[in-house]
Amino acid sequence: MQRYQWDWGVLFREPYFGWLLSGLGWTLFIAMLAWAIAFSVGSTIGICRTLPNRWLRAIGTAYVEIFRNVPLLLQMFLWFFVLPELLPREAGRWMKRDMPNPELTSAVLCLGFYHASRVAEQVRSGIDSVAQGLSRAGLATGLTLGQTYRHILMPIAYRLIVPTLTSEFLGIIKNSSIALTIGVLELTNQSRQIESFTFRGFEAFTAATVIYIAVSMVALGLARMFERRSPIKGMMTREANS
Amino acid sequence: MKLDFSVVWNNLPILFDGMQLSLVLTALALSGGILLGAILAVLRLSPLRPVAWFAAGYVNTFRSIPLILVLFWFYFLVPLIIGRPVGPFYAALIAFVLFEAAYYCEIIRAGIQGIPRGQRAAALATGMTQAQVMRHVVLPQAFRNMTPVMLTQAIILFQDTSLVYVVTLYDFMTSAAIVAQRDLAIVEVYIFAACVYFCICFTASRLVGWFKSRVEVSR
C-alpha cells in the first residue's frame, strides 16, 4: 500500500456527512416501502400457491418463476426504461414526465415485486409445514377455508418464518443499492460520490460498510425481540427446539 | 409502439461475447468461492475460539453489505495494493470470490452440521479417528445434502454477475445496455436479455430440482 493519505475527518465534514446521512435515509425509505409491497404481494402469492384452486396455484408459480429467474439489475431497467414505453401512450408519457420521483418509484416497485417472489416461497413453505393436520382440523370444526387461513394457518406460519422474513428484509436493504444504476442517491451511491469528490475511497467505503453492518445488527435485534414477544402457544420455544 | 427485433440479430456477436464473459466469470468465481468457502467453513468449525471468531466475522461482514459495495471496494482497492491499474475484470473476480466465499462457507457449514451428532459418536465409538469419521461418514452425506444448495447459489451468482455493469466490465448485461443505448432499441434489447436470462436460469433451476430429487439422502 503506497502513500495513501488517511483523513477520517472527511466523513464528518460537510457536505459529506450530510450525504451519508441522506443516503442512509433513502436506503431505509426505499427498503421500508419495498418491504410493504413485498410482504403484501408475497403473502398473497404464497397463499395462492397453497390453495386447492389449480388456476390460482399456476398463477402463483408463474409469478415466482418469472421474478426469480431474471437478474434484479435487469428488472430495475425493465421497470425504469422499458415499462413506460410498453404502456398505452398516455400512461407512458405520464410515467416519464409527470410521475413524481420516477427513479425512486421504479426502484421501490422493482424491489417490492422482486422480493415478493421470495417472500411468497417462504410463506408457502411456512403454510405447508403446518397445513396438513391443522387445516383439516379447522375445516372439520366448521370453519370456512378463509377462516382456517385467517385464524389458524397464517398466525402460525408467519411466526414460523420470522427468521427468514428478517433476512429477506436485510436482503431488500442490500439490494436497494442496485437502485444506484438508475440514479437513486442511496447509501452506496453516496459513498461512491464521496470517493470521486475527495479521493478518500477507504474512508467513504468503510463508512458505508459500517453503516450497513450497524443497520443489519439493529434489524436482527428487533426481529429477535419480536420473536420472543410472540411465541406460538402450545409449542416449545425456538431455543428449546434447536 | 412497434417492436423491431432485428437489432438483436445484428448485434448477436457482441451479445454472445458478453455472455461468454458472464459464464467465464461465473465459473471462476464459483470455483474460487467454493474453495475459499470450504476453508472458511473448516475455520468456523474449529475448536480454536479466535480462529472460529475470525471466520465468523468475515462471513457476517460480507453477508451484511451489498455486492455492489464490495465491487466498488475492490475496484478501488486492487489497483492501490498492486500499484498499477489492472482493469475491471480482476477486481470484479476478486470481489466475487471473496463475496461468494462467505455464502458458500455457510452452505458447507450447514451441510456438515446437518449430519446428526449420533452418527459421529457412533463412528468414533467403532474406533475410527476424527479424520476417518469426517472422510467416511460425515462428508459424503454432507456433500450430497449441500450440492443442490450450492448449485442454486451458482444460479444466483450467475445472475449477480450482471452487477459488473457498475464497473463497466462487458458481460452480457453490460453489452446489452450498450447496444440498447447506442442503437436506440432499449425495449427490444432489454426484453431479449430478460428472455435469455430467464431461459438459462429457469432451465438450470429445473435441472437442480431434478438432481436434488435424485441425490437426497433418505432418512
Side-chain angles (χ1 to χ4, degrees):
Chain A
M1 193 78 54
Q2 13 106 328
R3 282 178 275 118
Y4 186 83
Q5 302 285 321
W6 300 90
D7 178 15
W8 292 95
V10 71
L11 298 175
F12 301 99
R13 233 172 277 145
E14 285 308 329
Y16 309 119
F17 187 67
W19 288 7
L20 284 174
L21 274 189
S22 93
L24 173 63
W26 284 120
T27 293
L28 293 178
F29 181 72
I30 295 173
M32 305 247 187
L33 288 183
W35 174 248
I37 298 177
F39 186 72
S40 42
V41 176
S43 297
T44 314
I45 300 285
I47 291 171
C48 278
R49 293 195 74 181
T50 63
L51 290 176
N53 184 312
R54 190 174 354 140
W55 290 104
L56 288 177
R57 278 211 311 263
I59 292 173
T61 310
Y63 181 96
V64 170
E65 293 296 347
I66 288 173
F67 280 88
R68 210 171 42 173
N69 285 315
V70 175
L72 185 54
L73 173 60
L74 188 49
Q75 291 188 31
M76 197 66 87
F77 286 1
L78 290 177
W79 281 98
F80 187 63
F81 295 118
V82 176
L83 185 64
E85 306 288 338
L86 291 182
L87 288 175
R89 186 161 301 182
E90 285 306 308
R93 189 174 298 159
W94 180 80
M95 265 191 94
K96 276 192 275 189
R97 290 220 195 117
D98 303 328
M99 191 169 74
N101 269 323
E103 296 87 3
L104 203 68
T105 316
S106 305
V108 166
L109 290 173
C110 170
L111 285 165
F113 284 100
Y114 169 76
H115 280 275
S117 71
R118 302 169 48 99
V119 170
E121 283 300 272
Q122 292 157 16
V123 168
R124 178 178 74 121
S125 75
I127 295 174
D128 279 348
S129 65
V130 289
Q132 281 288 315
L134 284 183
S135 68
R136 281 198 210 123
L139 292 172
T141 61
L143 295 178
T144 63
L145 189 63
Q147 288 169 328
T148 311
Y149 270 88
R150 161 88 184 71
H151 298 291
I152 300 179
L153 297 182
M154 297 319 291
I156 300 180
Y158 276 136
R159 283 187 177 84
L160 282 178
I161 61 175
V162 168
T164 55
L165 288 180
T166 313
S167 55
E168 202 53 42
F169 180 67
L170 295 179
I172 296 188
I173 291 181
K174 285 185 279 174
N175 280 339
S176 67
S177 62
I178 295 180
L180 69 83
T181 56
I182 55 172
V184 177
L185 285 170
E186 45 65 67
L187 184 54
T188 305
N189 206 359
Q190 293 287 19
S191 71
R192 186 178 57 163
Q193 287 242 65
I194 296 178
E195 191 244 351
S196 53
F197 270 70
T198 64
F199 301 104
R200 303 260 169 262
F202 253 111
E203 292 85 341
F205 294 140
T206 306
T209 305
V210 169
I211 295 174
Y212 276 115
I213 293 175
V215 167
S216 65
M217 274 160 53
V218 170
L220 282 175
L222 288 177
R224 295 243 168 79
M225 210 168 76
F226 175 79
E227 234 179 321
R228 243 177 283 128
R229 287 244 182 113
S230 57
I232 304 173
K233 303 230 163 59
M235 274 201 196
M236 278 181 280
T237 59
R238 198 170 296 280
E239 282 81 25
N241 265 337
S242 58
Chain B
M1 74 176 286
K2 280 179 84 174
L3 294 182
D4 177 14
F5 280 94
S6 64
V7 61
V8 170
W9 180 251
N10 294 334
N11 288 292
L12 224 42
I14 304 179
L15 295 172
F16 185 74
D17 285 350
M19 181 51 79
Q20 270 185 325
L21 191 134
S22 294
L23 293 173
V24 168
L25 187 61
T26 305
L28 291 178
L30 185 66
S31 349
I34 291 179
L35 194 68
L36 186 58
I39 296 172
L40 281 169
V42 172
L43 296 183
R44 250 202 113 161
L45 295 171
S46 145
L48 289 173
R49 281 288 171 78
V51 173
W53 283 337
F54 165 77
Y58 177 98
V59 170
N60 290 333
T61 306
F62 273 94
R63 277 163 53 104
S64 41
I65 60 178
L67 178 53
I68 291 195
L69 184 58
V70 181
L71 281 167
F72 284 154
W73 255 121
F74 287 93
Y75 191 57
F76 157 80
L77 264 188
V78 170
L80 205 67
I81 294 173
I82 297 181
R84 61 189 165 81
V86 285
F89 182 79
Y90 289 102
L93 179 58
I94 294 173
F96 271 107
V97 167
L98 295 179
F99 185 80
E100 291 301 318
Y103 287 82
Y104 277 109
C105 167
E106 288 303 273
I107 294 173
I108 295 170
R109 184 175 72 112
I112 293 175
Q113 288 183 331
I115 305 302
R117 208 170 271 187
Q119 293 200 15
R120 230 185 127 82
L124 284 171
T126 62
M128 286 182 170
T129 64
Q130 284 281 2
Q132 283 173 324
V133 174
M134 263 297 179
R135 188 158 158 243
H136 296 292
V137 180
V138 176
L139 285 184
Q141 299 182 76
F143 267 121
R144 285 176 107 184
N145 287 340
M146 64 196 166
T147 316
V149 193
M150 286 173 126
L151 291 173
T152 306
Q153 180 66 27
I155 299 174
I156 297 173
L157 167 61
F158 173 65
Q159 292 188 15
D160 280 348
T161 57
S162 64
L163 291 178
V164 297
Y165 173 83
V166 298
V167 292
T168 40
L169 181 59
Y170 293 166
D171 75 319
F172 182 66
M173 178 70 218
T174 315
S175 312
I178 287 170
V179 170
Q181 280 155 26
R182 190 193 59 197
D183 294 359
L184 299 176
I186 289 178
V187 177
E188 292 87 346
V189 175
Y190 284 150
I191 289 180
F192 171 74
C195 292
V196 171
Y197 272 116
F198 179 82
C199 292
I200 295 177
C201 298
F202 182 74
T203 316
S205 65
R206 280 296 140 108
L207 286 175
V208 172
W210 171 80
F211 179 73
K212 185 180 174 195
S213 65
R214 292 208 46 184
V215 299
E216 232 162 6
V217 181
S218 47
R219 289 228 174 78

